[in-house]
C-alpha cells in the first residue's frame, strides 16, 4: 500500500484515504464508470460522496495517474493504464470496452508527420464493433 502513497507524493498529491482507495479500485483493471468506482470505494471506506470520487478522479487524471476516456454516447470511464496512448474498442451493443495496443511500434499515433506546432500528448482512436457476447446474443435472436 505504501507504494500507492509514494506514487501520490511523487506527483505532488497529498495522500488521502479516498485517493488511495480510488487508486486501489483502478488497479483492479478495466474501464470503470464513476458509479462503479464509487460502489467499490464504499466497500473500502465507510462514507465517500460521489462528488468526492469525482474530485479524486479529476486530481488523479490531471496528475497522470489515471486516464479518462469518453467514447461518444457513453459516460466517462477511468482506468489505471496510463502513459502508453493505447486505444480502445467499444461494443455498440453493450458498451463493453477493451484495450487495443498500437499496432506498430510503441505509440506511433503520437508522431504525426506534421503537428502544426502543437505539442501532442494523445491520439484518440476508437474502434467500434460488437463484443463476442453481443454477437452470440444476435445470432441466438435470429
Ligand atoms: Zn457487447
Ligand atoms: Zn484502456
Ligand atoms: Zn496507435
Amino acid at each position: 500500500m505504501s507504494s500507492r502513497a509514494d506514487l501520490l507524493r511523487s506527483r505532488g498529491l497529498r495522500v488521502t484515504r479516498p485517493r488511495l482507495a480510488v487508486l486501489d479500485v483502478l488497479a483492479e483493471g478495466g474501464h470503470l464508470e464513476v458509479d462503479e468506482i464509487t460502489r467499490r470505494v464504499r466497500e473500502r471506506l465507510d462514507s465517500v460522496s460521489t462528488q468526492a470520487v469525482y474530485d479524486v478522479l479529476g486530481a488523479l487524471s490531471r496528475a497522470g495517474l489515471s486516464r479518462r476516456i469518453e467514447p461518444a454516447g457513453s459516460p466517462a470511464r477511468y482506468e489505471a493504464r496510463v502513459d502508453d496512448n493505447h486505444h480502445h474498442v467499444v461494443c455498440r451493443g453493450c458498451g463493453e470496452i477493451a484495450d487495443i495496443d498500437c499496432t506498430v511500434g510503441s505509440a506511433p499515433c503520437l508522431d504525426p508527420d506534421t503537428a502544426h506546432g502543437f505539442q501532442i500528448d494523445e491520439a484518440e482512436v476508437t474502434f467500434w464493433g460488437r463484443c463476442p457476447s453481443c454477437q452470440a446474443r444476435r445470432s441466438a435472436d435470429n
Side-chain angles (χ1 to χ4, degrees), residues 18-66:
R19 284 174 178 171
L20 290 172
V22 170
L23 281 177
D24 205 33
V25 168
L26 290 177
E28 292 174 347
H31 306 85
L32 305 175
E33 292 180 24
V34 174
D35 286 352
E36 175 64 14
I37 294 168
T38 304
R39 193 182 64 72
R40 295 199 207 171
V41 166
R42 284 179 182 148
E43 290 170 358
R44 292 163 167 81
L45 302 178
D46 290 341
S47 68
V48 179
S49 68
T50 305
Q51 186 57 49
V53 172
Y54 270 106
D55 291 346
V56 168
L57 287 167
L60 294 180
S61 298
R62 282 191 300 277
L65 295 177
S66 76

Side-chain angles (χ1 to χ4, degrees), residues 87 102 108-109:
H87 310 304
C102 276
C109 307

Side-chain angles (χ1 to χ4, degrees), residues 84-87 100-110 123 125 127:
D84 66 352
N85 188 57
H86 68 276
H87 310 304
I100 302 273
D101 292 332
C102 276
T103 49
V104 190
S106 56
C109 307
L110 289 183
V125 178
F127 301 90

